[in-house]
Amino acid sequence: MASIKDVAKRANVSTATVSRVLRNTGNVTEETRQRVLEAIEALNYQPNVLGRYLRRMETETVLVVVPDIMNPFFSKVLRGIEAVALKHGYQVLLGDTQNDARLEEQYLNVLPQRQVDGMIFLTARIRKELMEEMARQFPIVLACEYLEGADIPTVSIDNISSARKATEHLIRLGHCRIAHLSGPMNIILSRDRLRGYQQALAQHELEADAALVQEGDFTYESGYNLTLKLLALEKPPTAIFAANDEMAIGAIKAVRHRGGRVPDDVAVVGFDDIQMASIFEPSLTTIAQPMFEIGQKAMELLLALIEGTSARRRQLVLPDRLVIRDSCGGERSGQRG
């Protein structure tokens, strides 16, 4: 007797899609619906009504895993995810790993248990081999972070070119001694942003002083403390590029604590363009990520995987922009792409 898996395999869709066709619910294209119906007829498939009643094939729920729920960057990404999810009748659950890769692996276990229909990871600190193995079996999308060389649908920006753009802005303003507050080096985004900073210095033949690169953890506190350390150097920097806005705001507070002025004594550039970046004084020059759109695209990719209407290989790189405000001096308004 044919099973629902046999029907799904013949129609080249997921079992969840077959279930939706049988129940005449959900977002299934007419072409896909016809393929499923033809497979059902060809295999003479007889649904187990009792089994379907006892255990639904889908939950119409997705799980979004974030590295740190306290980081304001993720709020707009989550709103983008939820906007698309609600439109298609899905609920969104949230998992906070607290920057612990072990918790990421624990959250993956909800997929084999069929507790959710798919997952979006806004963090990628899990073992590549494990993530790829699970992605071959279940709908998984990566957003914001990514796994280098992994065959998993991903939505992000080009962090290397973005960091290069931010650093070059400081160079154009005449700064030669530019510091970088990085994120944790076990995160690929941190390494990419450091790489972009280093590329900009090299292209302009500026010295890459190792003392000017300090590893933070994306928090306000690390930005503050590391900037105090930089300002204590015999030759302190005249500009700081921070790998996110929270550390940049911490850097500004540290400069002020030492009696300095931003941007007159030290110019500061951040990354992300969280809401506080435009409210803080001085307002923060930063790289703006399309946070809401990242969330939207990630959920659209996940739905395509759940419905079986899209190939698994797909990496989307969205545009960012440099937003120029008061923390750098020079041009104090406008945007550059």
Side-chain angles (χ1 to χ4, degrees), residues 2 29 78 96 118 128-129 142 149 165 181 188 204 213 241 261 280 296 318 335:
T29 66
L78 291 168
D96 180 13
K128 177 183 173 183
E129 297 77 14
L142 297 176
K165 184 189 306 180
L181 303 181
I188 195 164
H204 292 269
V213 177
F241 164 47
R261 296 169 298 169
F280 192 76
Q296 286 180 308
L318 302 183
Q335 300 173 347

Side-chain angles (χ1 to χ4, degrees), residues 146 148 159-160 180 182-198 218:
Y146 67 98
E148 195 167 13
N159 285 275
I160 296 176
H180 178 51
S182 79
M185 283 295 104
N186 65 331
I187 300 175
I188 195 164
L189 300 187
S190 303
R191 300 194 297 272
D192 282 353
R193 292 171 192 177
L194 173 61
R195 195 179 310 169
Y197 159 82
Q198 292 170 332
F218 289 134

Side-chain angles (χ1 to χ4, degrees), residues 225-269:
N225 292 327
L226 292 175
T227 299
L228 290 179
K229 184 177 178 181
L230 289 168
L231 295 176
L233 293 173
E234 184 177 351
K235 291 181 61 179
T238 63
I240 296 173
F241 164 47
N244 78 334
D245 289 342
E246 286 195 80
M247 288 197 297
I249 290 170
I252 292 173
K253 293 290 285 187
V255 172
R256 287 175 169 176
H257 179 81
R258 289 288 301 270
R261 296 169 298 169
V262 175
D264 297 343
D265 299 310
V266 181
V268 178
V269 175

Side-chain angles (χ1 to χ4, degrees), residues 3-136:
S3 69
I4 193 171
K5 290 184 179 180
D6 297 325
V7 175
K9 184 176 180 180
R10 185 181 181 95
N12 195 27
V13 298
S14 67
T15 55
T17 299
V18 176
S19 178
R20 287 184 177 178
V21 172
L22 290 169
R23 291 188 288 114
N24 197 28
T25 61
N27 183 29
V28 181
T29 66
E30 186 58 32
E31 179 186 357
T32 301
R33 187 181 302 277
Q34 287 302 317
R35 287 209 318 273
V36 172
L37 292 174
E38 289 170 5
I40 289 172
E41 183 176 359
L43 296 171
N44 193 27
Y45 171 65
Q46 300 295 323
N48 184 337
V49 178
L50 177 61
R52 193 170 71 225
Y53 176 78
L54 292 174
R55 183 179 181 274
R56 294 178 59 187
M57 292 303 300
E58 58 187 18
T59 65
E60 294 187 346
T61 301
V62 298
L63 176 63
V64 181
V65 178
V66 299
D68 181 5
I69 193 61
M70 297 298 291
N71 188 327
F73 168 79
F74 296 109
S75 60
K76 282 190 178 180
V77 180
L78 291 168
R79 285 185 177 181
I81 291 171
E82 192 163 42
V84 175
L86 292 177
K87 182 179 177 181
H88 290 83
Y90 279 81
Q91 294 181 329
V92 178
L93 300 180
L94 189 62
D96 180 13
T97 70
Q98 302 175 55
N99 294 302
D100 188 341
R102 292 172 300 177
L103 285 177
E104 285 189 44
E105 294 195 14
Q106 290 180 23
Y107 279 121
L108 268 178
N109 291 332
V110 304
L111 285 170
Q113 297 169 12
R114 301 292 183 181
Q115 295 178 19
V116 296
D117 295 339
M119 296 179 67
I120 298 175
F121 281 82
L122 307 186
T123 173
R125 303 167 204 198
I126 202 168
R127 289 178 291 125
K128 177 183 173 183
E129 297 77 14
L130 175 59
M131 182 70 87
E132 286 189 310
E133 178 185 350
M134 294 295 286
R136 283 191 289 268

